[in-house]
Each structure stands twice: as C-alpha cells, then as structure tokens.
Amino acid sequence: MTELENETTEQRGVRSVIRALNLLSATARGSRTLTELAGAAGVSLSTASRLLATLRMADFLDQDEDGQFVPGPELTALLYASDQWSGVRKLAREAATGLRDELDETVAFFVRAGNDRVCIESAESARLVRRVCHPGERGPVYLGAAGKALIAFNDAEHGYLGLPPGTEQFTTESGAVRTLADLRAECARIREEGMGYSGRESTEESWAVAAPVFRGDLLLGVLAVVVPMTRSDEQYVAKVQAALRRAAAAASR
C-alpha cells in the first residue's frame, strides 16, 4: 500500500483545509492569478484550481474583470467583523499610496497591538531595490521607527515600552545593545521632534522614518517610510522626512 493510500480521510481533509487557508492568505496581498496563488500556497495548479472553485462557490473568493482572484463577500464580511482597525484602513491606504507615489519608496501604516507594531496597510515602491513591507508584518514595538513613534506619541511609562518586566537592555538586528534608559530618552526626543528614525534596527538592511497620524487627540497610528540602506545619504533622508511630515499632517486633518 502506498503512503498516499495509507493516508486517512481525516488527514486528507486537514491537508485540504490548510491549503485552502493558504490560498485565502495569499489573496490578502492583492488580486492574484491562479498561477500566482498556486505558487504562493505551494500547491499544484490543478489543486489550486479545485480549491479556488470551492472557495468561489462558498463566496469566500471572487474574480475581478481580469479574471484575478479577490476576496469575496463572505471573506470580506468576516474580516470586517473581526478587524478592529477597519475604520482606519481607508485613510491609512490613501496616505500610504499618496506618499509612495511622491517618493517611490515603500510606505506603511502601523498600529500597536499589545507589545507589537503591526502594519495594516502598505504601498510598495516600484524600484528594483526596495524594502518590502506587507500588511500583517509585525515586530517588537521597541524596535524600529514606527514602533518607537507609537510609544512616543502614546503613554511612554514603564510597562508600555513593550519590553518584558525587568529588562534593562536589548539588542537590535544589527547587534547594537541598547538600554531601557536609551529607549526612554529617544522616545522623548521623538515626541519633541514629531518624528521617529531608525537605521539597521528592526532590519539590518534598511532605515525608516515614522510620523503620527491623529484624529483630534486620538493617535490612529503612524505613517512610515522604509528605505534600503543603499539610499541613506543625509540629503535624501531630509527629503524623505519633509515629505513624510507633510503627508502625516495632511492625514491628521
């Protein structure tokens, strides 16, 4: 008896469910063709075609006028019902896209979830060398410009810095050792200057700047530009900072 023949009906069912979920996850990054979805989910074209047809029948997926797969009404309703940031997404998407179009650098909108910074919307640069930041990307809130800006423009008291209790120092992606006192001082400086900066901190190959977006006194999140270190001269950093400051102020109106 072959291994496939020995596999139980339950095991085959679980495998199919996992593959279907992988296909649904792949659509979160925008409309995709059958070939693109099969590659992203790691399944054959025939398997992807069969599962996608089932997901379409159940209204979890749909196809646009170009035949590409997009979220269907059932998936959209489920995401909306469980998305605490649904009210911010339109503004975040428009702000990120507008700034991306101006700079041709990847722009993302981050919010805080517990002790993490989470990207909820992004607009990717078209440059050959670029920093990719997909919606759903997350990392420790105490690392990177976006996370530190989220701390700085909220409550920067101990315990809200995202570090485990008793932590006095931590290490960045580049291997630099930073202390709790360093983080507190930097967050105070970010609040004073209105913008956060990081270089080789959350990723070793990039730098980023981030500025807050408010509605009245409520911090909605931060708009961040993430750039490869290959474009990091002082004049270019200043250009990006100026454009970000304008975009964040416009989004806050």
Side-chain angles (χ1 to χ4, degrees):
M1 181 177 291
T2 66
E3 182 179 347
L4 183 60
E5 291 172 332
N6 195 44
E7 187 179 42
T8 67
T9 300
E10 181 180 1
Q11 289 172 324
R12 287 195 295 272
V14 169
R15 187 175 60 178
S16 292
V17 170
I18 291 173
R19 287 173 169 175
L21 291 173
N22 287 339
L23 288 168
L24 286 175
S25 295
T27 62
R29 297 188 175 94
S31 58
R32 298 281 189 96
T33 65
L34 168 62
T35 302
E36 289 170 337
L37 286 173
V43 298
S44 67
L45 286 174
S46 60
T47 297
S49 179
R50 174 174 55 81
L51 291 173
L52 289 170
T54 302
L55 291 169
R56 279 201 67 193
M57 287 175 58
D59 285 334
F60 278 90
L61 288 180
D62 204 344
Q63 284 181 284
D64 61 20
E65 57 188 19
D66 296 321
Q68 298 196 10
F69 289 89
V70 296
E74 286 295 329
L75 180 59
T76 301
L78 179 64
L79 292 173
Y80 185 84
S82 61
D83 184 5
Q84 61 180 302
W85 300 295
S86 59
V88 182
R89 285 188 181 278
K90 184 175 184 292
L91 178 148
R93 188 181 308 116
E94 291 175 350
T97 301
L99 187 53
R100 185 275 314 276
D101 291 346
E102 179 179 351
L103 295 172
D104 197 11
E105 297 288 2
T106 297
V107 181
F109 194 94
F110 285 88
V111 296
R112 181 162 182 165
N115 290 328
D116 286 346
R117 50 173 170 75
V118 181
C119 172
I120 61 168
E121 293 290 340
S122 68
E124 190 174 323
S125 166
R127 299 189 195 217
L128 183 62
V129 179
R130 61 185 181 273
R131 163 78 158 88
V132 175
C133 184
H134 291 304
E137 178 180 310
R138 64 196 300 148
V141 73
Y142 55 84
L143 288 179
K148 291 182 293 187
L150 286 167
I151 293 173
F153 294 100
N154 235 308
D155 178 10
E157 292 299 318
H158 183 66
Y160 199 67
L161 296 174
L163 290 162
T167 300
E168 293 298 328
Q169 64 181 34
F170 56 94
T171 305
T172 68
E173 285 297 314
S174 65
V177 176
R178 307 197 65 209
T179 67
L180 183 63
D182 292 335
L183 180 59
R184 287 185 183 282
E186 185 171 8
C187 287
R189 186 168 62 252
I190 289 171
R191 189 174 184 89
E192 181 179 339
E193 296 176 353
M195 182 176 298
Y197 172 88
S198 66
R200 291 193 170 100
E201 192 168 313
S202 56
T203 63
E204 192 173 352
E205 298 84 11
S206 64
W207 60 274
V209 285
V213 174
F214 290 96
R215 273 295 179 268
D217 295 329
L218 176 66
L219 177 66
L220 300 181
V222 299
L223 192 62
V225 186
V226 288
V227 187
M229 291 303 299
T230 51
R231 296 189 291 275
S232 59
D233 63 89
E234 187 175 332
Q235 185 176 2
Y236 188 65
V237 172
K239 174 186 174 181
V240 171
Q241 288 175 319
L244 172 62
R245 198 179 296 276
R246 291 192 300 269
S252 293
R253 294 197 188 107

